[in-house]
Amino acid sequence: MTLKSFIALWTHRYHKYTHISKAHFLGYRAWLHFKGVKSKLKTDQKLIAIIRTEHFGDIVAAEPISRYVRSLHPNAHIVWFVKPSFSELVSHNPSLDEVFKEFCVTERKTLLDTGIFDEVIQLQFTNNNHCPKCQVFVDNPVADRRNINIFNYFNFGNLLEVFAQTGDLIPEKAAFPGDDRPKLYLQDKHRQKVDSLNLKEPFIVLHCQSNYAPKDWPAEKWEQLVEWLADNYPYKIVEIGLKSNLSVKTGSYRNLCGQFTILETAEVIRRASYFIGLDSGPSHLGNATGTFGIILMGSLNDFPEYNPYSGGYGRQENAVFVRQKGLPCSQLSFEFVKDKVAGVIKLS
């Protein structure tokens, strides 16, 4: 072993074990906090944990569960576990008493192993309960018993129904028993930020890149779509997301990528006449805000046809799915997508 590789190895080990030590410390510190919370509860009040830490579209899709659990346990102290970067999605939810911003799954495992919670509702399964630094996976016995995992989960329903099953809230492959329309809790600060943009003309929001390449549509086709929309409709075209990969010259197009928090982005979508995007986090924002969605979807891994949405998008009351059975999204032709979009906008 060379000196350089030796140093690299021990640097990696130092960071790994420092991370693990911090996770255990934070877990026990959280235990002391929740022990204090529990000491103030009445004997008929439960301390309940709901765990859905990522991704932000999944958290939005799972939001109805917070209201359903509250209906089952009106007096409980309900805590939602989430990664800090997604905490704004649940921090204003009136059905929750507390938001726990999770450092990593080792911290969570340390905390839950103390048994401080009376009930733990896991809306995740083993394969997406993972800390890459600790190399720790957390099992969900309910999901394991029902054989729900990342390879087959869409065989069990939409995301809300899948999460309700992994949380042992509903029987296998059952419909969600409560209001299945996801909600967002937008605040004045989100509205004020979007007010500053002066988006006064009618506009269409586009979201052109997901966090998973097989769900994407090529950039050159998006560029064609923008030009076609600008030439044929009196709408401004606004792109949202983390970053843009488009090269567009029309004056009707505005790039707002990377400028907003998740809920500020939701407020932009809420004000749009239409949302055109992929099966990704922002499409769940569109579903929750009530903006009509035109969703480009294709076959995904082992799912030739699938529906991740509940509510208006899920029932296609407020959305159109643009897809051809057996084709991935990347292979949808521009003409096919254009015709579907024209069919929707023409009816307005």
Side-chain angles (χ1 to χ4, degrees), residues 223-235 237 250 252:
E223 291 165 359
Q224 281 183 277
L225 187 66
V226 171
E227 296 288 351
W228 172 76
L229 286 169
D231 289 343
N232 291 276
Y233 297 96
Y235 293 98
I237 313 300
T250 176
S252 296

Side-chain angles (χ1 to χ4, degrees), residues 7-22 103 133-134:
I7 293 172
L9 172 64
W10 283 98
T11 299
H12 168 75
R13 288 181 176 175
Y14 169 78
H15 288 300
K16 176 180 178 180
Y17 292 112
T18 300
H19 174 91
I20 292 172
S21 298
K22 181 178 180 180
F103 174 67
K133 284 191 177 179
C134 301

Side-chain angles (χ1 to χ4, degrees), residues 214 216-218 221 298-299 324 326-334 336-337:
D216 289 346
W217 200 45
K221 294 181 181 179
S299 60
Q324 293 176 289
L327 284 184
C329 186
S330 62
Q331 292 183 23
L332 296 175
S333 70
F334 168 71
F336 178 77
V337 173

Side-chain angles (χ1 to χ4, degrees), residues 291-329:
T291 298
F292 193 95
I294 303 171
I295 313 300
L296 280 61
M297 300 175 67
S299 60
L300 179 66
N301 301 329
D302 294 328
F303 310 114
E305 287 188 309
Y306 69 102
N307 178 3
Y309 309 100
S310 62
Y313 277 23
R315 289 184 287 275
Q316 297 183 61
E317 299 164 346
N318 199 38
V320 167
F321 295 166
V322 181
R323 63 180 171 192
Q324 293 176 289
K325 187 173 182 179
L327 284 184
C329 186

Side-chain angles (χ1 to χ4, degrees), residues 50-68 80 86 89-90 93 123 153-154 157-165 169 176 178-185 215 262 279-289 307-314:
I50 301 176
I51 299 169
R52 183 70 231 178
T53 62
E54 58 178 345
H55 301 273
F56 87 76
D58 292 349
I59 296 169
V60 175
E63 183 278 337
I65 287 174
S66 66
R67 287 178 276 133
Y68 181 62
W80 191 291
F86 304 129
L89 287 168
V90 290
N93 186 332
L123 312 184
Y153 62 102
F154 275 128
N158 61 46
L159 287 176
L160 174 61
E161 292 166 344
V162 170
F163 298 151
Q165 288 170 73
L169 294 170
F176 187 70
D179 179 6
D180 71 346
R181 295 169 296 178
K183 291 183 179 181
L184 295 173
Y185 301 94
K215 293 182 179 181
I262 296 171
D279 167 25
S280 60
S283 64
H284 290 278
L285 299 180
N287 190 21
T289 57
N307 178 3
Y309 309 100
S310 62
Y313 277 23

Side-chain angles (χ1 to χ4, degrees), residues 4 22 41 72 95 112 120 150 165 181 184 209 249:
K4 184 177 180 180
K22 181 178 180 180
L41 299 180
L72 297 176
S95 295
L112 296 184
V120 178
I150 58 170
Q165 288 170 73
R181 295 169 296 178
L184 295 173
Q209 292 186 85
K249 295 184 173 59

